[in-house]
Amino acid sequence: MERLDKILASQGVGSRKECAALIRRGEVAVNGAAARRPEQKADPEHDAIAVRGAPLCYRRTVTLMMNKPGGVLSATRDPHGVTVLDLLPPEQRARGLFPAGRLDRDTEGLLLLTNDGALAHRMLAPKSHVWKRYLARVDGPLSAQDAQAFAAGLALEGMVCLPASLEILEPGPQALAVAAVREGQFHQVKRMFLARGRRVLSLRRIAVGGLSLDPSLPPGAARPLTPEELELIWAPSSPFPQA
Ligand code: URA
């Protein structure tokens, strides 16, 4: 049994405060009876909870979308600084979440946090080929030759990359481009640009599969994915028309 406001907040209905207000206004029912106290206990797996008449479809696992700011580590602990978990509200922090994949400390943007091990495994498995898109500002111009080299599969130290796409938004002198890759090797995007003689000045992940970063999510904020958004991770997302 758990507090009703906590159950609702864990399912992304709102912040704990917003959920408490919703309950006090009588907009939440448990087994058909209006609940008025946020501290009322319910069993989320067996009680029928409804918010404004719509049944709450309770999920024990949760996956959050975070707009990761620069300067925080995407790990569960960092003895020297702040991790993405430190940015979460207490009701989410207590749920055993971990980052599904890593972004460098200075990389910003879409990070998924989950307590669903199977989802993380599937997302990170090389054969799942979930495309990740990054907006990159680099320290020089970019040209069609760079895009061709990305598409051909760049050779990095110790590996040859799978074909990747490079869409140049501003060709120079500090070019802006969207790089799409379906692997997740250490510093991969930065190393790919370096292989073309360009240093990445800023990197922001804007999409994972068919799921884009919610533009209304401020840096450092996170919210649960809706069931539809969860499915979008697996939606076809290749930047190449034929793939
Ligand atoms: N590639 C990088 O180089 N850094 C990231 O954070 C993610 C992808």
Side-chain angles (χ1 to χ4, degrees), residues 203-237:
L203 194 62
R204 178 175 182 73
R205 185 153 70 185
I206 54 175
V208 171
L211 176 69
S212 297
L213 178 64
D214 178 347
S216 72
L217 206 56
R223 64 156 175 82
L225 295 184
T226 63
E228 294 75 25
E229 287 175 325
L230 206 49
E231 285 308 310
L232 278 177
I233 297 173
W234 318 112
S237 56

Side-chain angles (χ1 to χ4, degrees), residues 98-233:
F98 56 89
R102 293 197 168 195
L103 293 178
D104 296 337
R105 200 187 278 272
D106 59 352
T107 301
E108 301 175 353
L110 177 55
L111 180 71
L112 296 175
L113 293 149
T114 190
N115 55 8
D116 185 342
L119 178 130
H121 186 263
R122 182 176 167 204
M123 211 185 99
L124 302 175
K127 68 169 189 281
S128 290
H129 291 323
V130 174
W131 287 88
K132 292 114 192 158
R133 284 175 164 72
Y134 296 86
L135 186 65
R137 175 76 70 185
V138 298
D139 69 346
L142 290 170
S143 68
Q145 283 77 47
D146 297 305
Q148 280 156 16
F150 268 57
L154 283 165
L156 305 181
E157 205 180 298
M159 72 178 281
V160 176
C161 299
L162 289 171
S165 98
L166 184 66
E167 186 194 346
I168 301 167
L169 305 179
E170 298 170 12
Q174 292 195 333
L176 184 69
V178 174
V181 300
R182 57 188 137 147
E183 299 166 287
Q185 301 299 323
F186 189 58
H187 296 330
Q188 182 160 348
V189 174
K190 291 175 184 166
R191 287 161 63 209
M192 288 167 73
F193 279 109
L194 266 187
R196 298 298 302 166
R198 296 286 170 259
R199 199 166 55 83
V200 169
L201 301 175
S202 69
L203 194 62
R204 178 175 182 73
R205 185 153 70 185
I206 54 175
V208 171
L211 176 69
S212 297
L213 178 64
D214 178 347
S216 72
L217 206 56
R223 64 156 175 82
L225 295 184
T226 63
E228 294 75 25
E229 287 175 325
L230 206 49
E231 285 308 310
L232 278 177
I233 297 173

